[in-house]
Amino acid sequence: MTLEATADNVDHGTAASGSSFYAAMRILPRAQRDAMFQVYSFCREVDDIADSDGPRPERLAALQKWRDDIDALYQGNPPPRLRDYVASVKTFGLKREDFLAIIDGMEMDVPQEIRAPDLATLDLYCDRVASAVGRLSVRIFGMPEEDGILLAHHLGRALQLTNILRDIDEDAGIGRLYLPREALLFAGITSDDPVKVMQERALPKVCNSVAVRAKTHFEKADEIMRRNRRRAVRAPRIMSKYYRAVFDLLLERGFALPREPVRVSKLTKIGIILRYAII
């Protein structure tokens, strides 16, 4: 399959099945669920392009084709792979700039692998690949505009920073290092070679500083969800609780070698669903 293979006739729900995202979205009413699965499918498509091992010019061209298709969707001439997005865009007021921001975020990994970005670049990356997804999502959930944007900002960053902490070794294996340059230098780490950084004894100090940022974002997201209608925040609350469980397991394990993968137990996942899905 080429990088430009389309998503014609994709079952968006099937594309999401097996992910932590899937259980949270299954509780939504049909129109919201379909729209969220479309957003998820779009994210998977562009992420797969960015993470493929194809030639960089080919990946950049495939991402540009997605930009062109998003533009066509909003100009009233959707390509086949986006035809079923039309109703969701209209019903929920989904913004073109958020779809484009996601593509821009995925593209940040393509010209060259990200290695020790400064904090401003890391925050921009988190905004594009996570909070932009959140901005689409909160419109679908029906949250008030101001709190919805705030929730997308904080929860998106909390989830993405958790992903970064969880995947540091896996990312290093493909030449990527998302830990911020300032935190590395503060810990006395001057290298930006991902493999070398993974062996540094001071690495836990770096990871713990990122964890502090993630924790603050989790807490601010919780504040926002507490003051909104329970039904409107069911899905993001489930995602938050799942990722917070991952985050807590990471803190409990620590970041010194050896770093065994962390996994949320099936019982914990079921408990989260039962507690927060039922109104």
Side-chain angles (χ1 to χ4, degrees):
M1 181 181 293
T2 69
L3 291 179
E4 294 188 11
T6 68
D8 301 5
N9 302 316
V10 165
D11 181 336
H12 301 296
T14 298
S17 63
S19 69
S20 57
F21 175 97
Y22 185 74
M25 299 310 121
R26 286 291 298 172
I27 67 170
L28 296 170
R30 176 68 180 270
Q32 291 177 311
R33 183 172 69 243
D34 288 349
M36 285 303 304
F37 284 152
Q38 288 163 8
V39 169
Y40 180 88
S41 182
F42 164 78
C43 292
R44 279 291 304 272
E45 288 281 329
V46 294
D47 187 44
D48 285 349
I49 292 170
D51 284 349
S52 80
D53 57 3
R56 295 184 193 274
E58 185 178 342
R59 284 186 273 165
L60 290 171
L63 291 171
Q64 182 57 48
K65 181 64 168 62
W66 269 106
R67 288 192 186 89
D68 295 341
D69 284 355
I70 291 295
D71 284 341
L73 169 66
Y74 280 86
Q75 290 164 3
N77 185 32
R81 64 180 171 181
L82 291 177
R83 203 162 285 153
D84 59 345
Y85 287 56
V86 173
S88 296
V89 167
K90 182 177 181 181
T91 300
F92 300 110
L94 305 183
K95 302 295 186 183
R96 166 181 170 272
E97 56 262 33
D98 292 326
F99 282 108
L100 295 178
I102 294 167
I103 298 171
D104 290 344
M106 302 300 181
E107 190 177 78
M108 289 174 73
D109 280 312
V110 177
Q112 59 187 18
E113 309 300 348
I114 290 182
R115 291 191 173 190
D118 60 40
L119 281 167
T121 301
L122 177 62
D123 192 65
L124 176 62
Y125 177 78
C126 290
D127 185 79
R128 287 173 168 176
V129 302
S131 292
V133 180
R135 291 191 289 272
L136 293 171
S137 302
V138 294
R139 293 181 184 279
I140 295 169
F141 300 149
M143 288 190 66
E145 179 79 7
E146 184 175 350
D147 267 1
I149 298 302
L150 276 175
L151 180 60
H153 175 93
H154 290 297
L155 187 55
R157 283 161 169 80
L159 303 191
Q160 190 60 34
L161 291 174
T162 299
N163 279 338
I164 288 170
L165 291 172
R166 182 194 62 195
D167 298 337
I168 52 173
D169 292 295
E170 181 181 343
D171 289 333
I174 56 174
R176 294 176 182 173
L177 176 64
Y178 295 99
L179 298 175
R181 182 182 310 156
E182 292 91 335
L184 289 164
L185 292 175
F186 186 74
I189 300 174
T190 57
S191 174
D192 68 354
D193 182 318
V195 175
K196 290 182 179 178
V197 171
M198 290 306 103
Q199 306 299 316
E200 291 278 359
R201 293 184 65 180
L203 183 64
K205 184 176 182 179
V206 180
C207 293
N208 287 330
S209 72
V210 174
V212 169
R213 290 177 176 273
K215 186 172 183 289
T216 298
H217 287 302
F218 273 119
E219 290 170 350
K220 290 184 180 296
D222 284 343
E223 290 174 13
I224 297 164
M225 288 188 282
R226 278 196 296 269
R227 66 178 180 244
N228 279 273
R229 291 185 302 113
R230 184 178 172 91
R231 182 171 291 275
V233 298
R234 284 188 304 167
R237 195 184 293 279
I238 289 170
M239 287 295 294
S240 176
K241 295 302 180 183
Y242 172 79
Y243 267 84
R244 187 58 189 262
V246 173
F247 179 77
D248 289 343
L249 288 171
L250 288 169
L251 294 185
E252 181 181 337
R253 182 205 66 186
F255 297 99
L257 290 169
R259 290 180 288 269
E260 294 297 325
V262 302
R263 292 182 178 85
V264 177
S265 72
K266 189 173 183 179
L267 186 61
T268 298
K269 292 178 184 178
I270 293 171
I272 291 170
I273 295 294
L274 291 176
R275 180 173 181 182
Y276 297 103
I278 300 171
I279 299 299

